[in-house]
Amino acid sequence: MLQARVTVVISPRDRYSGIIECIENLYLCTPEPFVLKVLDLGYPAHLKSQLYSLLRNKSNAEVIELGLIIPMDALNQVRDSITTPYTMLLDNDSNVTPNWLEPLIDTAESTGAAVVNPLTLEKEGVDEGALLRNHLYTNAVQLVDVNGKDYIIEHKSYRRALPNDIPQQVAPSDMFELHGVLFLTKALQQIELPSMVIREHIDIGIQLRQLGYKILSQPKSVIIFDNLGTRMSWFDIRFFFFRWNSSLTYNSSRLFEQRWHYNFYAEQAMYHWVFRRKVFLLCRWLHIPISLSNKVVRLVAKVKTLFKPVWNPLSNPDATARPAAIEQFNRQVQS
């Protein structure tokens, strides 16, 4: 019998209610053996009952009840128990597609990469666009100068491009995202997992790069995540507002600044992005169609910025951005 090469760790991202579909789809699309760890970060009783019923006869699966904590803190509690060579982190609002696993593991084994990104596509949701579009192929950490001070910019290649327009070659990447990503387990267990809710993937990516590890993207593996288009239930909104509350997002930025001595150029824009997402999900909860919800978001966001403008001193920051020398980032404090 084949030994499992990968442990799949499923955590909530924005909601609770995607978990059953996520697991059912995982088993449907994964013919080879794997280990499954489902992180219960406060699932409501009826979903927990469905979860245990679904996994009752799955000898490769376990549910780990950790209570209402953020995903990074949950991962920190379980990663040392992983014994397979590879670990797939998967958000519960993301779905793998057929033939997702083999390209990731083949790429990792042939290159020694610590991280292999699948092509991450997003469904229609916040912000208008195609029904299915690119969320992440590769991303890069860049620096931009504002009055003699450097700020970090995260650049995503082919952002919101149509799937057919994405290159099909394996490509190097500075970072990844946590919607779904394959890790070399020993690398995941070697680094610090910062207690952050935003830009934690950049912190982890910097650590891995400084240790000499490769990060690659493999577009032949595809996952699709729900960009808030599916209406949330009230218990989902409870988790969302916990996960994205202003104190956690602000403290995440300060922790990154303490650890690496850089701020994000788009820090205020990130908070504004969280605000827009909250307005959108409330519109969807009220059964407002996606297109109309986006119009409401634009209107409310415009009014908000009249009273609290988003800091954006450069007309085109991407035009003056330069690659960051990640190996020279200087971490001084521990998380």
Side-chain angles (χ1 to χ4, degrees), residues 24-32 95-101:
E24 289 177 338
N25 189 67
L26 176 67
Y27 277 97
L28 181 66
C29 295
T30 316
E32 78 165 74
N95 282 305
V96 298
T97 62
N99 191 41
W100 72 274
L101 180 57

Side-chain angles (χ1 to χ4, degrees), residues 205-269:
I206 292 170
Q207 292 184 64
L208 290 171
R209 290 280 302 280
Q210 289 191 339
L211 290 172
Y213 284 114
K214 296 177 184 176
I215 299 174
L216 300 175
S217 293
Q218 170 52 279
K220 292 182 180 178
S221 174
V222 177
I223 68 164
I224 301 172
F225 90 94
D226 191 325
N227 192 24
L228 298 187
T230 301
R231 178 182 178 270
M232 285 192 181
S233 298
W234 184 251
F235 55 80
D236 290 322
I237 295 176
R238 169 179 169 265
F239 180 77
F240 186 96
F241 274 75
F242 162 75
R243 165 77 163 80
W244 295 107
N245 79 69
S246 57
S247 176
L248 285 176
T249 52
Y250 178 81
N251 288 337
S252 295
S253 294
R254 300 289 71 75
L255 179 57
F256 187 96
E257 180 185 9
Q258 290 171 349
R259 286 167 62 80
W260 301 108
H261 303 283
Y262 284 100
N263 288 333
F264 292 99
Y265 179 84
E267 179 179 339
Q268 291 187 21

Side-chain angles (χ1 to χ4, degrees), residues 62-184:
E62 65 173 326
V63 179
I64 303 173
E65 298 188 19
L66 297 171
L68 186 61
I69 59 177
I70 65 173
M72 287 299 293
D73 290 346
L75 178 60
N76 206 20
Q77 293 191 37
V78 304
R79 64 166 173 173
D80 289 341
S81 67
I82 298 171
T83 58
T84 55
Y86 296 98
T87 300
M88 179 69 179
L89 305 182
L90 185 66
D91 286 338
N92 69 350
D93 59 358
S94 297
N95 282 305
V96 298
T97 62
N99 191 41
W100 72 274
L101 180 57
E102 199 68 27
L104 296 180
I105 291 184
D106 285 351
T107 301
E109 288 181 338
S110 64
T111 64
V115 172
V116 184
N117 289 312
L119 174 62
T120 304
L121 304 178
E122 63 183 41
K123 293 182 179 179
E124 180 188 31
V126 181
D127 298 323
E128 294 175 317
L131 296 179
L132 190 64
R133 60 223 185 183
N134 176 49
H135 181 79
L136 180 68
Y137 169 48
T138 64
N139 57 348
V141 176
Q142 300 178 335
L143 297 177
V144 64
D145 180 280
V146 180
N147 297 324
K149 182 178 180 180
D150 281 335
Y151 291 82
I152 288 179
I153 287 183
E154 180 185 10
H155 174 74
K156 295 182 180 181
S157 61
Y158 296 89
R159 183 73 176 101
R160 294 205 173 101
L162 296 177
N164 289 340
D165 295 332
I166 306 300
Q168 290 302 296
Q169 295 78 32
V170 174
S173 184
D174 283 346
M175 305 293 138
F176 54 91
E177 285 204 7
L178 291 164
H179 302 286
V181 60
L182 185 82
F183 274 83
L184 180 66

